Amino acid sequence: MNQAAEGRETERIQQIQSSIETVTQTLRQREAEVEELKRSLAGLQSELATLTDQGEPRTTTTTTSRPAGQNVEENKSNLADCLRTIRKADLNEVKALANPPAKIRLVLDLVYGILHKRIPQPTWQEVKAMLGDSTFLTKLTSLDPNTVPEDVKRWTREQINAQGLDVESVQKVSRCAANLSAWLIAASA
């Protein structure tokens, strides 16, 4: 074999080794995500079992009937749980869409409304700006649902039901939007 052929072969071997390292790293990251999802699932199953054991379904209450500050930490914890698997790359991917699928756009519009505490009609540019805000995830996790007006929460719940924005349906379109849908459901309860 001549030197040129040996050089190409050596280069190809290095490319393959580099690809193997990249795939291995991605696999490790995905394994960590799977473990995190398993923990989340276990927590949800435990919560469901607790609620089922109580014999009565949980009912929602309005912000006016709940004393200020009651269960704020629990609500914030529930909201944070919905967002644990969202990565900045996921947000950037959604933000990069020129014309997002309807379910993604609807979820993001509703997130915008909950964060701004009003029935939303944002432009796509406003939604993209919201996603690009460096404090976006912090705002989501620190939101106190008790501060969102009941009419906004009611309207959000109606839209989730009418538009089929349950987590499973949205998951078929976008994992990131599905996590935001779970957050919406928790924030509008």
Side-chain angles (χ1 to χ4, degrees):
M1 204 183 317
N2 66 27
Q3 282 187 327
E6 286 179 11
R8 285 191 301 270
E9 188 175 285
T10 301
E11 184 178 320
R12 182 64 183 141
I13 290 170
Q14 290 172 345
Q15 288 174 342
I16 291 171
Q17 288 173 334
S18 176
S19 293
I20 289 171
E21 288 176 28
T22 301
V23 170
T24 302
Q25 288 174 352
T26 302
L27 181 60
R28 285 186 190 125
Q29 289 171 345
R30 297 289 186 219
E31 287 171 345
E33 290 174 10
V34 166
E35 290 305 313
E36 190 170 328
L37 288 171
K38 285 180 181 178
R39 286 190 297 275
S40 179
L41 176 61
L44 291 170
Q45 288 172 330
S46 173
E47 182 179 357
L48 178 61
T50 300
L51 293 173
T52 305
D53 290 343
Q54 292 174 355
E56 296 181 17
R58 210 160 93 180
T59 57
T60 59
T61 56
T62 63
T63 57
T64 55
S65 67
R66 184 181 299 139
Q70 182 177 346
N71 296 325
V72 171
E73 291 308 313
E74 179 183 339
N75 289 338
K76 286 182 182 180
S77 176
N78 290 340
L79 295 177
D81 287 345
C82 297
L83 303 171
R84 280 190 302 180
T85 60
I86 294 180
R87 299 174 308 189
K88 190 73 170 166
D90 297 329
L91 294 173
N92 289 336
E93 182 179 315
V94 171
K95 189 174 96 171
L97 297 171
N99 188 18
K103 285 192 185 283
I104 293 175
R105 178 61 198 265
L106 288 166
V107 166
L108 294 173
D109 286 355
L110 294 174
V111 168
Y112 185 95
I114 292 288
L115 285 179
H116 290 86
K117 301 176 183 174
R118 59 185 166 89
I119 295 175
Q121 292 182 322
T123 66
W124 181 234
Q125 293 300 352
E126 290 173 316
V127 171
K128 286 172 70 169
M130 172 186 73
L131 293 172
D133 181 348
S134 62
T135 62
F136 176 64
L137 289 174
T138 302
K139 288 178 182 178
L140 293 178
T141 56
S142 65
L143 176 79
D144 176 2
N146 296 330
T147 64
V148 179
E150 186 58 35
D151 63 322
V152 174
K153 292 197 291 190
R154 183 175 35 261
W155 188 83
T156 300
R157 288 190 304 269
E158 290 169 1
Q159 292 302 305
I160 290 168
N161 292 329
Q163 302 296 331
L165 300 178
D166 58 280
V167 176
E168 293 79 21
S169 296
V170 178
Q171 177 74 38
K172 295 174 185 172
V173 182
S174 165
R175 181 182 66 157
C176 179
N179 288 327
L180 291 171
S181 179
W183 178 88
L184 275 172
I185 293 166
S188 64

